[in-house]
Amino acid sequence: MKLIEAEDVWFSYNHEVMALKGVSLGIGKGETVALIGQNGGGKTTLAKHFNGLLKPTKGRVLVKGVETRTLPANKLAFTVGYVFQNPAHQIFSSKVRDEVSFGPHNAGLSSDEVERRTAEAIEKVGLKGYEDVHPYDLDYGKQKLLTVASIMSMNPEVYCLDEPTTGQDHKGRWMVADLIHRLNDSGATVVVITHDMRFVAEVAKRVVLIADGRILADMPTKEIFEKSEMLRSAQIKPPQITELAHSLTRYNVPASILTVTEMADALQSILRLHQR
Amino acid sequence: MVGNIIAITVQDFTYAYPNHSAVLQEINFEVRKSEMVGIIGPNGAGKSTLCKSLNGLIPHFYGGSIAGSVTVADMDTMKHSVAELSLKVGLVFQEPSNQFSGVSTKVDEEVAFGMSMMGYPREEMRPRIEEALHAVGLQGLEERSPYELSGGQQQRLAIATVLAVRPEIIVMDEPTAQLDPVGKTEVFQTMRDLNGKGYTIIVAEHEIEAMAAFADRILVLDHAEIVTQGETRKVLNEVKKLKQMGIDPPSVTELCEILRGELKIDEGKFPIELNEAISLFSRVLREHAK
């Protein structure tokens, strides 16, 4: 059984235009999946179905085998945590600590447990020392990390992160990437919505390309960046290093390269081979 | 295009917000007319503060303590009001919605807003609105609500509101940070067009590949200080220094630093754009295959 299953999901916000037009996919435990595609294509609408914030107009979504239509969103929050694109849509407390402890406190956990989870989540996102700061005094990048922490304290099985790298500097990007790796290592499933293809290459093993309410492609990250025509039609540019690899395939550079390190290794082995 | 006329001189400039320690320390740089200069650095390094120092918001609006001087279009920012300075230098914010007046229901009204606050006569406003909207590629959308525009269009409108005053210098503080890739491309293209028309452009950015393609020079800010500055290639070639500060240089440049031994090329000559890297590696691999 998949952790999340979408079966022929159609969705309309206004009963006129369909934002999702028959989307089907399954997400298994421990996967890291990137939802990519231009704005207005349906990425966020789809992800909001995973934790029951939205319910399908037609079709169904199952979380651990149970249809989301039969579950209240507050129940689903224990399984699937959703981090909004805009931190202002999520943050409502006047202190970092209160923002992070709200979820577990509200869930009725013991105060020791609430405290432990809060401290742990704040530390993991690198906000230690900011516990008493007003969230709106944090810069945008740190606000986004705070919204991740406030979901981490609920300890969900699935994290949906909507554009976690927007407004981050490079350090912040790496911090979010590292966080995703660590969450995934500890068994969590991560779904990330992003426009940052270098970030996709670093964190996701699988990519789902969504446009005009439909899934255009659903495949391993290593393969999708080779579909240059499809990407061009969806106005998506592969990471710079992958584009370089694509231009050098006639010299035996693998086209599946995703990171600078992979590229350096590949070139070193080619250059050494010829020296012998 | 870039001549020897100085557009901006920042000299021994140190600034602290009221009741805070200095967020800019001993800043020194010059910008020539028609240059495009990128400011890069981690969040919190002082990029936004530096941008606000170039149009007089610092010190006139924020107060605080200052040493040294900032001269923009031959005006000492300390001695001229924000209103006077705004005729010569326009500031574009990260969030277009922070730039909008909030009272205009149409794109052309939004462009007119700044001018009407400055008391421009009506007949002079019309051609300026047309010119500004044309420069950012928003002609034809005059009747739209600013809030119905896409992110990239909103940011271009924000640029148009600044352009209508016909400044010589445009300062942009992370203008693409909140935009999707389509919006980013639109704004960078607009920036490039304006620079081609002779505008001096200063832009704080994290998009390093765009800076590699567009900027003549780069200033690197870290912990309130300029750590390095110079011609774009020279600065982006300082891979180790940038990485230490948490700044990622273009991927192809980073690759060359790692392969320095094999490639036998010196720092300062590493490619900073994809096309340069493709020709370099094609040549190296072709020669090795022989």
Side-chain angles (χ1 to χ4, degrees), chain A residues 154-171:
Chain A
M154 291 293 281
N155 202 14
E157 293 174 51
V158 183
Y159 289 81
C160 292
L161 309 176
D162 197 344
E163 298 200 26
T165 64
T166 306
Q168 303 286 0
D169 60 4
H170 299 174
K171 235 186 261 177

Side-chain angles (χ1 to χ4, degrees), chain B residues 87-147:
Chain B
L87 296 174
K88 296 287 182 188
V89 49
L91 178 62
V92 176
F93 298 99
Q94 182 177 135
E95 282 267 9
S97 53
N98 288 348
Q99 191 113 22
F100 294 160
S101 62
V103 298
S104 312
T105 56
K106 291 180 190 168
V107 162
D108 57 357
E109 283 173 12
E110 186 57 49
V111 180
F113 183 80
M115 286 187 287
S116 59
M117 288 295 107
M118 287 168 161
Y120 281 73
R122 214 179 164 73
E123 60 276 18
E124 201 181 326
M125 278 163 38
R126 186 43 63 187
R128 284 176 179 243
I129 293 169
E130 267 173 40
E131 175 188 287
L133 288 176
H134 196 267
V136 300
L138 287 181
Q139 68 276 30
L141 297 181
E142 289 81 357
E143 302 284 313
R144 285 275 188 91
S145 159
Y147 298 95

Side-chain angles (χ1 to χ4, degrees), chain A residues 38-39 85 139-141 163 166-171 173-174 195-196 198 235 237 239-241 243-244 247-248 250-251 253 260-261 263-265 267-268 270-272 274-275, chain B residues 41-43 94-95 177-178 180-182 206-209 243 245-252 254-255 258-259 262-264 272-274 277-278 281-282 284-286 288-289:
Chain A
Q38 293 312 321
N39 284 350
Q85 177 183 351
D139 69 42
Y140 189 87
E163 298 200 26
T166 306
Q168 303 286 0
D169 60 4
H170 299 174
K171 235 186 261 177
R173 270 176 89 260
W174 287 112
H195 288 295
D196 182 339
R198 187 170 175 186
Q235 291 181 281
K237 243 167 89 81
Q240 189 181 54
I241 208 72
E243 289 196 284
L244 178 62
S247 306
L248 300 172
R250 86 187 81 143
Y251 305 106
V253 175
V260 173
T261 317
M263 185 64 161
D265 290 347
L267 287 169
Q268 262 160 350
I270 292 170
L271 293 172
R272 282 197 193 120
H274 287 295
Q275 273 167 356
Chain B
N43 288 345
Q94 182 177 135
E95 282 267 9
Q178 304 291 333
D180 65 359
V182 174
H206 291 303
E207 292 295 323
I208 208 82
E209 284 166 21
K243 297 279 282 184
M245 281 179 270
I247 300 170
D248 292 324
S251 301
V252 294
E254 198 178 329
L255 178 69
I258 300 173
L259 297 175
E262 283 86 350
L263 295 172
K264 300 181 188 75
I272 57 174
E273 290 187 71
L274 178 63
I278 292 173
F281 283 103
S282 298
V284 169
L285 291 167
R286 213 165 33 234
H288 267 266

